[in-house]
Short mmCIF file of all heavy atoms in Angstrom, two decimals:
data_model
loop_
_atom_site.label_atom_id
_atom_site.label_comp_id
_atom_site.label_asym_id
_atom_site.label_seq_id
_atom_site.Cartn_x
_atom_site.Cartn_y
_atom_site.Cartn_z
N MET A 1 13.20 7.39 -1.73
CA MET A 1 13.60 6.22 -2.51
C MET A 1 13.65 5.00 -1.59
O MET A 1 14.06 5.10 -0.45
CB MET A 1 14.96 6.44 -3.14
CG MET A 1 14.94 7.36 -4.31
SD MET A 1 16.39 7.19 -5.31
CE MET A 1 17.27 8.66 -4.83
N LEU A 2 13.26 3.88 -2.14
CA LEU A 2 13.26 2.64 -1.39
C LEU A 2 14.34 1.70 -1.93
O LEU A 2 14.65 1.72 -3.11
CB LEU A 2 11.89 1.95 -1.51
CG LEU A 2 10.70 2.70 -0.93
CD1 LEU A 2 9.41 1.96 -1.25
CD2 LEU A 2 10.85 2.89 0.56
N GLU A 3 14.86 0.87 -1.04
CA GLU A 3 15.85 -0.10 -1.46
C GLU A 3 15.19 -1.24 -2.23
O GLU A 3 13.98 -1.47 -2.12
CB GLU A 3 16.62 -0.64 -0.26
CG GLU A 3 15.75 -1.37 0.74
CD GLU A 3 16.50 -1.77 2.00
OE1 GLU A 3 17.13 -0.90 2.61
OE2 GLU A 3 16.41 -2.95 2.36
N LYS A 4 15.96 -1.94 -3.02
CA LYS A 4 15.48 -3.07 -3.81
C LYS A 4 14.94 -4.15 -2.87
O LYS A 4 15.51 -4.39 -1.81
CB LYS A 4 16.62 -3.63 -4.66
CG LYS A 4 16.22 -4.77 -5.54
CD LYS A 4 17.39 -5.22 -6.39
CE LYS A 4 16.96 -6.39 -7.27
NZ LYS A 4 18.02 -6.81 -8.16
N GLY A 5 13.83 -4.78 -3.26
CA GLY A 5 13.31 -5.86 -2.46
C GLY A 5 11.83 -6.12 -2.69
O GLY A 5 11.21 -5.52 -3.56
N THR A 6 11.29 -7.01 -1.89
CA THR A 6 9.88 -7.36 -1.94
C THR A 6 9.15 -6.56 -0.87
O THR A 6 9.57 -6.52 0.29
CB THR A 6 9.69 -8.87 -1.69
OG1 THR A 6 10.42 -9.59 -2.69
CG2 THR A 6 8.22 -9.26 -1.76
N TYR A 7 8.06 -5.91 -1.28
CA TYR A 7 7.28 -5.06 -0.38
C TYR A 7 5.84 -5.52 -0.33
O TYR A 7 5.27 -5.96 -1.34
CB TYR A 7 7.32 -3.61 -0.86
CG TYR A 7 8.67 -2.96 -0.65
CD1 TYR A 7 9.69 -3.15 -1.56
CD2 TYR A 7 8.90 -2.17 0.47
CE1 TYR A 7 10.93 -2.58 -1.36
CE2 TYR A 7 10.15 -1.59 0.67
CZ TYR A 7 11.15 -1.79 -0.24
OH TYR A 7 12.38 -1.23 -0.04
N THR A 8 5.24 -5.40 0.83
CA THR A 8 3.82 -5.66 1.01
C THR A 8 3.13 -4.31 1.17
O THR A 8 3.55 -3.49 1.99
CB THR A 8 3.55 -6.53 2.25
OG1 THR A 8 4.25 -7.77 2.08
CG2 THR A 8 2.06 -6.79 2.42
N ILE A 9 2.10 -4.10 0.36
CA ILE A 9 1.32 -2.88 0.43
C ILE A 9 -0.05 -3.25 0.98
O ILE A 9 -0.73 -4.13 0.44
CB ILE A 9 1.19 -2.22 -0.95
CG1 ILE A 9 2.58 -1.88 -1.48
CG2 ILE A 9 0.30 -0.97 -0.87
CD1 ILE A 9 2.61 -1.44 -2.91
N ARG A 10 -0.44 -2.60 2.08
CA ARG A 10 -1.72 -2.88 2.71
C ARG A 10 -2.51 -1.58 2.83
O ARG A 10 -1.94 -0.53 3.12
CB ARG A 10 -1.49 -3.49 4.10
CG ARG A 10 -0.73 -4.79 4.03
CD ARG A 10 -0.23 -5.24 5.38
NE ARG A 10 -1.34 -5.66 6.22
CZ ARG A 10 -1.22 -5.86 7.53
NH1 ARG A 10 -0.07 -5.68 8.13
NH2 ARG A 10 -2.25 -6.23 8.22
N LEU A 11 -3.81 -1.68 2.61
CA LEU A 11 -4.69 -0.52 2.66
C LEU A 11 -5.70 -0.75 3.78
O LEU A 11 -6.34 -1.81 3.83
CB LEU A 11 -5.40 -0.35 1.32
CG LEU A 11 -6.02 0.99 0.99
CD1 LEU A 11 -4.96 2.07 0.91
CD2 LEU A 11 -6.79 0.91 -0.31
N PHE A 12 -5.82 0.24 4.69
CA PHE A 12 -6.72 0.13 5.83
C PHE A 12 -7.77 1.24 5.80
O PHE A 12 -7.46 2.38 5.45
CB PHE A 12 -5.94 0.26 7.15
CG PHE A 12 -4.92 -0.81 7.35
CD1 PHE A 12 -3.61 -0.64 6.93
CD2 PHE A 12 -5.27 -2.00 7.97
CE1 PHE A 12 -2.66 -1.63 7.11
CE2 PHE A 12 -4.32 -3.00 8.16
CZ PHE A 12 -3.02 -2.82 7.74
N ASN A 13 -9.00 0.90 6.19
CA ASN A 13 -10.04 1.92 6.27
C ASN A 13 -9.88 2.71 7.57
O ASN A 13 -8.96 2.45 8.37
CB ASN A 13 -11.44 1.32 6.11
CG ASN A 13 -11.80 0.35 7.22
OD1 ASN A 13 -11.19 0.32 8.27
ND2 ASN A 13 -12.82 -0.46 6.96
N ASN A 14 -10.80 3.66 7.82
CA ASN A 14 -10.65 4.55 8.98
C ASN A 14 -10.90 3.88 10.32
O ASN A 14 -10.64 4.47 11.36
CB ASN A 14 -11.52 5.80 8.81
CG ASN A 14 -12.99 5.47 8.74
OD1 ASN A 14 -13.40 4.31 8.71
ND2 ASN A 14 -13.82 6.50 8.69
N ILE A 15 -11.38 2.63 10.32
CA ILE A 15 -11.53 1.92 11.60
C ILE A 15 -10.50 0.79 11.75
O ILE A 15 -10.60 -0.06 12.61
CB ILE A 15 -12.97 1.40 11.82
CG1 ILE A 15 -13.39 0.45 10.70
CG2 ILE A 15 -13.94 2.54 11.96
CD1 ILE A 15 -14.74 -0.23 10.96
N GLY A 16 -9.49 0.81 10.87
CA GLY A 16 -8.36 -0.10 11.00
C GLY A 16 -8.52 -1.45 10.33
O GLY A 16 -7.66 -2.32 10.48
N GLN A 17 -9.58 -1.65 9.56
CA GLN A 17 -9.77 -2.92 8.86
C GLN A 17 -8.97 -2.93 7.57
O GLN A 17 -9.01 -1.96 6.81
CB GLN A 17 -11.25 -3.13 8.53
CG GLN A 17 -12.13 -3.27 9.74
CD GLN A 17 -13.60 -3.26 9.34
OE1 GLN A 17 -14.03 -2.45 8.52
NE2 GLN A 17 -14.37 -4.15 9.93
N GLU A 18 -8.26 -4.03 7.31
CA GLU A 18 -7.52 -4.16 6.06
C GLU A 18 -8.51 -4.42 4.92
O GLU A 18 -9.32 -5.34 5.00
CB GLU A 18 -6.53 -5.31 6.15
CG GLU A 18 -5.67 -5.45 4.92
CD GLU A 18 -4.64 -6.55 5.04
OE1 GLU A 18 -3.83 -6.51 6.00
OE2 GLU A 18 -4.64 -7.44 4.17
N VAL A 19 -8.43 -3.58 3.88
CA VAL A 19 -9.36 -3.71 2.76
C VAL A 19 -8.66 -4.12 1.46
O VAL A 19 -9.32 -4.49 0.49
CB VAL A 19 -10.17 -2.41 2.53
CG1 VAL A 19 -11.06 -2.12 3.74
CG2 VAL A 19 -9.27 -1.22 2.26
N ALA A 20 -7.33 -4.07 1.43
CA ALA A 20 -6.57 -4.50 0.25
C ALA A 20 -5.16 -4.88 0.68
O ALA A 20 -4.64 -4.36 1.67
CB ALA A 20 -6.52 -3.40 -0.80
N ASN A 21 -4.56 -5.80 -0.09
CA ASN A 21 -3.23 -6.28 0.23
C ASN A 21 -2.58 -6.71 -1.08
O ASN A 21 -3.19 -7.42 -1.88
CB ASN A 21 -3.35 -7.47 1.19
CG ASN A 21 -2.01 -7.97 1.69
OD1 ASN A 21 -1.05 -8.05 0.94
ND2 ASN A 21 -1.97 -8.34 2.95
N LYS A 22 -1.34 -6.28 -1.32
CA LYS A 22 -0.63 -6.65 -2.54
C LYS A 22 0.86 -6.73 -2.24
O LYS A 22 1.39 -5.94 -1.48
CB LYS A 22 -0.88 -5.61 -3.64
CG LYS A 22 -0.19 -5.94 -4.95
CD LYS A 22 -0.54 -4.97 -6.04
CE LYS A 22 0.16 -5.39 -7.33
NZ LYS A 22 -0.19 -4.52 -8.45
N THR A 23 1.53 -7.68 -2.86
CA THR A 23 2.98 -7.81 -2.74
C THR A 23 3.60 -7.42 -4.08
O THR A 23 3.12 -7.85 -5.13
CB THR A 23 3.36 -9.26 -2.38
OG1 THR A 23 2.75 -9.59 -1.13
CG2 THR A 23 4.87 -9.40 -2.24
N ILE A 24 4.65 -6.60 -4.03
CA ILE A 24 5.33 -6.17 -5.25
C ILE A 24 6.83 -6.39 -5.10
O ILE A 24 7.37 -6.42 -3.99
CB ILE A 24 5.07 -4.68 -5.58
CG1 ILE A 24 5.60 -3.77 -4.46
CG2 ILE A 24 3.61 -4.42 -5.85
CD1 ILE A 24 5.68 -2.31 -4.85
N ASN A 25 7.51 -6.56 -6.23
CA ASN A 25 8.97 -6.61 -6.27
C ASN A 25 9.45 -5.27 -6.79
O ASN A 25 9.08 -4.86 -7.88
CB ASN A 25 9.45 -7.75 -7.17
CG ASN A 25 9.15 -9.10 -6.57
OD1 ASN A 25 9.46 -9.34 -5.41
ND2 ASN A 25 8.53 -9.97 -7.33
N HIS A 26 10.27 -4.59 -5.99
CA HIS A 26 10.76 -3.26 -6.32
C HIS A 26 12.23 -3.34 -6.71
O HIS A 26 13.03 -3.98 -6.01
CB HIS A 26 10.55 -2.35 -5.11
CG HIS A 26 11.03 -0.95 -5.29
ND1 HIS A 26 10.59 -0.13 -6.29
CD2 HIS A 26 11.94 -0.24 -4.59
CE1 HIS A 26 11.19 1.05 -6.19
NE2 HIS A 26 12.02 1.00 -5.17
N ASN A 27 12.60 -2.69 -7.80
CA ASN A 27 13.98 -2.73 -8.30
C ASN A 27 14.91 -1.72 -7.63
O ASN A 27 16.07 -1.63 -7.98
CB ASN A 27 14.00 -2.52 -9.81
CG ASN A 27 13.37 -3.67 -10.55
OD1 ASN A 27 13.50 -4.81 -10.14
ND2 ASN A 27 12.67 -3.38 -11.63
N GLY A 28 14.39 -0.94 -6.69
CA GLY A 28 15.20 0.06 -6.01
C GLY A 28 15.02 1.43 -6.64
O GLY A 28 14.60 1.55 -7.78
N GLY A 29 15.30 2.48 -5.88
CA GLY A 29 15.17 3.84 -6.38
C GLY A 29 13.73 4.31 -6.37
O GLY A 29 12.91 3.86 -5.58
N SER A 30 13.41 5.21 -7.28
CA SER A 30 12.06 5.76 -7.39
C SER A 30 11.34 5.09 -8.55
O SER A 30 11.93 4.85 -9.60
CB SER A 30 12.12 7.26 -7.65
OG SER A 30 12.67 7.93 -6.56
N SER A 31 10.08 4.78 -8.34
CA SER A 31 9.28 4.21 -9.41
C SER A 31 7.81 4.43 -9.10
O SER A 31 7.44 4.83 -8.00
CB SER A 31 9.56 2.72 -9.60
OG SER A 31 9.08 1.99 -8.51
N THR A 32 6.97 4.15 -10.08
CA THR A 32 5.52 4.25 -9.91
C THR A 32 4.94 2.85 -9.96
O THR A 32 5.33 2.05 -10.82
CB THR A 32 4.90 5.10 -11.04
OG1 THR A 32 5.47 6.41 -10.96
CG2 THR A 32 3.40 5.19 -10.90
N GLN A 33 4.04 2.55 -9.06
CA GLN A 33 3.40 1.24 -9.02
C GLN A 33 1.89 1.44 -8.98
O GLN A 33 1.39 2.17 -8.13
CB GLN A 33 3.85 0.46 -7.78
CG GLN A 33 3.27 -0.90 -7.65
CD GLN A 33 3.85 -1.89 -8.64
OE1 GLN A 33 5.02 -1.84 -8.97
NE2 GLN A 33 3.02 -2.79 -9.12
N SER A 34 1.17 0.82 -9.90
CA SER A 34 -0.29 0.91 -9.90
C SER A 34 -0.87 -0.24 -9.10
O SER A 34 -0.38 -1.37 -9.17
CB SER A 34 -0.83 0.83 -11.33
OG SER A 34 -0.41 1.94 -12.06
N ILE A 35 -1.91 0.07 -8.35
CA ILE A 35 -2.59 -0.94 -7.55
C ILE A 35 -4.06 -0.90 -7.93
O ILE A 35 -4.72 0.14 -7.82
CB ILE A 35 -2.43 -0.66 -6.04
CG1 ILE A 35 -0.96 -0.65 -5.67
CG2 ILE A 35 -3.21 -1.68 -5.22
CD1 ILE A 35 -0.68 -0.16 -4.29
N THR A 36 -4.58 -2.02 -8.41
CA THR A 36 -5.98 -2.10 -8.77
C THR A 36 -6.78 -2.51 -7.54
O THR A 36 -6.47 -3.51 -6.90
CB THR A 36 -6.19 -3.14 -9.90
OG1 THR A 36 -5.38 -2.75 -11.01
CG2 THR A 36 -7.64 -3.20 -10.32
N LEU A 37 -7.79 -1.70 -7.22
CA LEU A 37 -8.61 -1.97 -6.05
C LEU A 37 -9.93 -2.58 -6.46
O LEU A 37 -10.44 -2.34 -7.56
CB LEU A 37 -8.87 -0.66 -5.29
CG LEU A 37 -7.64 0.06 -4.78
CD1 LEU A 37 -8.03 1.40 -4.18
CD2 LEU A 37 -6.91 -0.78 -3.75
N SER A 38 -10.50 -3.34 -5.56
CA SER A 38 -11.80 -3.94 -5.78
C SER A 38 -12.85 -2.85 -5.91
O SER A 38 -12.75 -1.79 -5.28
CB SER A 38 -12.15 -4.85 -4.60
OG SER A 38 -13.51 -5.19 -4.60
N LYS A 39 -13.87 -3.09 -6.70
CA LYS A 39 -14.96 -2.12 -6.84
C LYS A 39 -15.75 -1.99 -5.54
O LYS A 39 -16.54 -1.08 -5.38
CB LYS A 39 -15.88 -2.53 -7.98
CG LYS A 39 -15.22 -2.40 -9.33
CD LYS A 39 -16.16 -2.74 -10.45
CE LYS A 39 -15.44 -2.59 -11.78
NZ LYS A 39 -16.30 -2.84 -12.92
N LYS A 40 -15.52 -2.91 -4.59
CA LYS A 40 -16.21 -2.86 -3.30
C LYS A 40 -15.64 -1.79 -2.37
O LYS A 40 -16.25 -1.46 -1.37
CB LYS A 40 -16.12 -4.23 -2.60
CG LYS A 40 -16.81 -5.34 -3.34
CD LYS A 40 -16.63 -6.65 -2.61
CE LYS A 40 -17.26 -7.80 -3.38
NZ LYS A 40 -17.05 -9.07 -2.69
N ILE A 41 -14.46 -1.27 -2.69
CA ILE A 41 -13.84 -0.26 -1.83
C ILE A 41 -14.49 1.09 -2.09
O ILE A 41 -14.48 1.60 -3.20
CB ILE A 41 -12.32 -0.21 -2.04
CG1 ILE A 41 -11.71 -1.54 -1.60
CG2 ILE A 41 -11.70 0.94 -1.28
CD1 ILE A 41 -10.22 -1.64 -1.79
N ALA A 42 -15.06 1.66 -1.04
CA ALA A 42 -15.78 2.93 -1.15
C ALA A 42 -14.81 4.10 -1.30
O ALA A 42 -13.66 4.03 -0.85
CB ALA A 42 -16.64 3.14 0.09
N ALA A 43 -15.28 5.16 -1.91
CA ALA A 43 -14.49 6.39 -2.01
C ALA A 43 -14.23 6.91 -0.59
O ALA A 43 -15.05 6.75 0.30
CB ALA A 43 -15.24 7.44 -2.82
N GLY A 44 -13.05 7.48 -0.40
CA GLY A 44 -12.72 8.04 0.91
C GLY A 44 -11.23 8.03 1.16
O GLY A 44 -10.42 7.78 0.26
N SER A 45 -10.86 8.28 2.40
CA SER A 45 -9.47 8.37 2.83
C SER A 45 -9.05 7.04 3.47
O SER A 45 -9.79 6.48 4.29
CB SER A 45 -9.34 9.52 3.84
OG SER A 45 -8.03 9.59 4.32
N TYR A 46 -7.87 6.55 3.11
CA TYR A 46 -7.36 5.28 3.62
C TYR A 46 -5.91 5.43 4.05
O TYR A 46 -5.19 6.28 3.55
CB TYR A 46 -7.45 4.19 2.53
CG TYR A 46 -8.87 3.82 2.19
CD1 TYR A 46 -9.60 4.56 1.26
CD2 TYR A 46 -9.48 2.74 2.80
CE1 TYR A 46 -10.90 4.22 0.94
CE2 TYR A 46 -10.79 2.39 2.49
CZ TYR A 46 -11.49 3.13 1.57
OH TYR A 46 -12.78 2.81 1.27
N ASN A 47 -5.48 4.56 4.96
CA ASN A 47 -4.09 4.51 5.38
C ASN A 47 -3.40 3.41 4.58
O ASN A 47 -3.84 2.25 4.60
CB ASN A 47 -3.98 4.21 6.88
CG ASN A 47 -2.55 4.16 7.36
OD1 ASN A 47 -1.70 4.91 6.89
ND2 ASN A 47 -2.26 3.27 8.28
N MET A 48 -2.34 3.76 3.84
CA MET A 48 -1.57 2.79 3.07
C MET A 48 -0.27 2.52 3.81
O MET A 48 0.45 3.44 4.18
CB MET A 48 -1.26 3.33 1.67
CG MET A 48 -0.48 2.35 0.83
SD MET A 48 -0.21 2.91 -0.87
CE MET A 48 0.80 4.36 -0.60
N GLN A 49 0.01 1.23 4.02
CA GLN A 49 1.22 0.81 4.72
C GLN A 49 2.09 0.04 3.73
O GLN A 49 1.63 -0.91 3.11
CB GLN A 49 0.84 -0.07 5.91
CG GLN A 49 2.01 -0.51 6.74
CD GLN A 49 1.55 -1.43 7.86
OE1 GLN A 49 1.29 -2.59 7.62
NE2 GLN A 49 1.43 -0.89 9.05
N ILE A 50 3.35 0.47 3.59
CA ILE A 50 4.31 -0.18 2.70
C ILE A 50 5.42 -0.74 3.59
O ILE A 50 6.05 0.01 4.33
CB ILE A 50 4.89 0.82 1.69
CG1 ILE A 50 3.77 1.50 0.90
CG2 ILE A 50 5.88 0.12 0.75
CD1 ILE A 50 4.22 2.72 0.14
N SER A 51 5.66 -2.06 3.49
CA SER A 51 6.64 -2.68 4.38
C SER A 51 7.47 -3.72 3.64
O SER A 51 6.95 -4.45 2.80
CB SER A 51 5.91 -3.35 5.55
OG SER A 51 6.82 -4.03 6.38
N ASN A 52 8.77 -3.78 3.97
CA ASN A 52 9.63 -4.83 3.43
C ASN A 52 10.12 -5.77 4.52
O ASN A 52 11.04 -6.54 4.32
CB ASN A 52 10.82 -4.23 2.67
CG ASN A 52 11.80 -3.53 3.58
OD1 ASN A 52 11.56 -3.34 4.76
ND2 ASN A 52 12.93 -3.12 3.02
N GLY A 53 9.51 -5.71 5.69
CA GLY A 53 9.92 -6.56 6.81
C GLY A 53 10.87 -5.84 7.74
O GLY A 53 10.87 -6.09 8.94
N ASN A 54 11.69 -4.93 7.21
CA ASN A 54 12.63 -4.17 8.04
C ASN A 54 12.14 -2.75 8.28
O ASN A 54 12.36 -2.19 9.35
CB ASN A 54 14.00 -4.09 7.37
CG ASN A 54 14.65 -5.44 7.20
OD1 ASN A 54 14.54 -6.30 8.06
ND2 ASN A 54 15.30 -5.65 6.08
N ASN A 55 11.50 -2.16 7.29
CA ASN A 55 11.03 -0.78 7.37
C ASN A 55 9.56 -0.71 6.96
O ASN A 55 9.12 -1.47 6.11
CB ASN A 55 11.84 0.12 6.43
CG ASN A 55 13.30 0.15 6.80
OD1 ASN A 55 13.66 0.42 7.93
ND2 ASN A 55 14.16 -0.17 5.84
N THR A 56 8.84 0.22 7.58
CA THR A 56 7.43 0.43 7.26
C THR A 56 7.20 1.92 7.03
O THR A 56 7.66 2.76 7.80
CB THR A 56 6.52 -0.05 8.40
OG1 THR A 56 6.75 -1.45 8.60
CG2 THR A 56 5.06 0.16 8.08
N ILE A 57 6.48 2.23 5.95
CA ILE A 57 6.11 3.60 5.61
C ILE A 57 4.59 3.67 5.60
O ILE A 57 3.93 2.81 5.03
CB ILE A 57 6.66 4.00 4.23
CG1 ILE A 57 8.19 3.91 4.22
CG2 ILE A 57 6.17 5.38 3.83
CD1 ILE A 57 8.78 4.01 2.84
N ASN A 58 4.03 4.70 6.24
CA ASN A 58 2.59 4.91 6.24
C ASN A 58 2.26 6.19 5.49
O ASN A 58 2.90 7.21 5.70
CB ASN A 58 2.06 5.01 7.68
CG ASN A 58 2.14 3.68 8.39
OD1 ASN A 58 1.48 2.72 7.99
ND2 ASN A 58 2.94 3.61 9.42
N LYS A 59 1.26 6.10 4.62
CA LYS A 59 0.80 7.25 3.84
C LYS A 59 -0.72 7.27 3.84
O LYS A 59 -1.35 6.22 3.90
CB LYS A 59 1.28 7.17 2.38
CG LYS A 59 2.77 7.17 2.19
CD LYS A 59 3.34 8.53 2.39
CE LYS A 59 4.84 8.54 2.11
NZ LYS A 59 5.42 9.84 2.27
N ILE A 60 -1.29 8.45 3.73
CA ILE A 60 -2.73 8.60 3.56
C ILE A 60 -3.00 8.70 2.05
O ILE A 60 -2.34 9.44 1.35
CB ILE A 60 -3.27 9.87 4.27
CG1 ILE A 60 -2.96 9.80 5.76
CG2 ILE A 60 -4.76 10.04 4.01
CD1 ILE A 60 -3.62 8.67 6.50
N VAL A 61 -3.97 7.91 1.56
CA VAL A 61 -4.35 7.95 0.16
C VAL A 61 -5.85 8.22 0.06
O VAL A 61 -6.62 7.87 0.96
CB VAL A 61 -3.99 6.66 -0.60
CG1 VAL A 61 -2.50 6.46 -0.65
CG2 VAL A 61 -4.66 5.47 0.02
N ILE A 62 -6.24 8.86 -1.03
CA ILE A 62 -7.64 9.17 -1.29
C ILE A 62 -8.12 8.30 -2.44
O ILE A 62 -7.51 8.28 -3.50
CB ILE A 62 -7.84 10.65 -1.65
CG1 ILE A 62 -7.25 11.57 -0.58
CG2 ILE A 62 -9.31 10.96 -1.91
CD1 ILE A 62 -7.91 11.50 0.76
N VAL A 63 -9.21 7.57 -2.22
CA VAL A 63 -9.84 6.77 -3.27
C VAL A 63 -11.04 7.55 -3.75
O VAL A 63 -11.89 7.94 -2.95
CB VAL A 63 -10.24 5.38 -2.74
CG1 VAL A 63 -11.03 4.61 -3.81
CG2 VAL A 63 -9.02 4.61 -2.28
N GLU A 64 -11.10 7.80 -5.06
CA GLU A 64 -12.23 8.58 -5.62
C GLU A 64 -13.23 7.67 -6.30
O GLU A 64 -12.91 6.63 -6.79
CB GLU A 64 -11.71 9.60 -6.62
CG GLU A 64 -10.83 10.64 -5.95
CD GLU A 64 -10.32 11.67 -6.92
OE1 GLU A 64 -10.33 11.43 -8.14
OE2 GLU A 64 -9.90 12.73 -6.47
#
């Protein structure tokens, strides 16, 4: 669960280039957030970074 606040979500390809960036307002607790990606983003594995300025979470995501 994440604390309430503004978060930046960044998506990086396997060579470290940022391919997507979105800012969301989170109400706290658990929730689902959809992120629409550009059609230019190829299928594959990406590193997703979620940060509120104080804490950063890194996750691997698969784009199909």
Side-chain angles (χ1 to χ4, degrees):
M1 285 198 256
L2 297 175
E3 62 186 52
K4 182 177 179 176
T6 301
Y7 288 82
T8 301
I9 300 171
R10 299 167 70 193
L11 198 64
F12 297 92
N13 63 17
N14 62 354
I15 59 173
Q17 296 171 315
E18 184 177 304
V19 296
N21 185 319
K22 181 176 181 177
T23 300
I24 62 167
N25 290 310
H26 179 58
N27 292 325
S30 295
S31 69
T32 299
Q33 180 73 35
S34 295
I35 301 170
T36 302
L37 300 174
S38 166
K39 292 183 180 183
K40 296 178 183 178
I41 295 178
S45 177
Y46 292 84
N47 180 36
M48 181 176 64
Q49 183 182 78
I50 304 166
S51 177
N52 69 352
N54 297 322
N55 299 306
T56 300
I57 299 168
N58 291 296
K59 299 284 184 179
I60 301 297
V61 295
I62 306 295
V63 175
E64 295 181 341

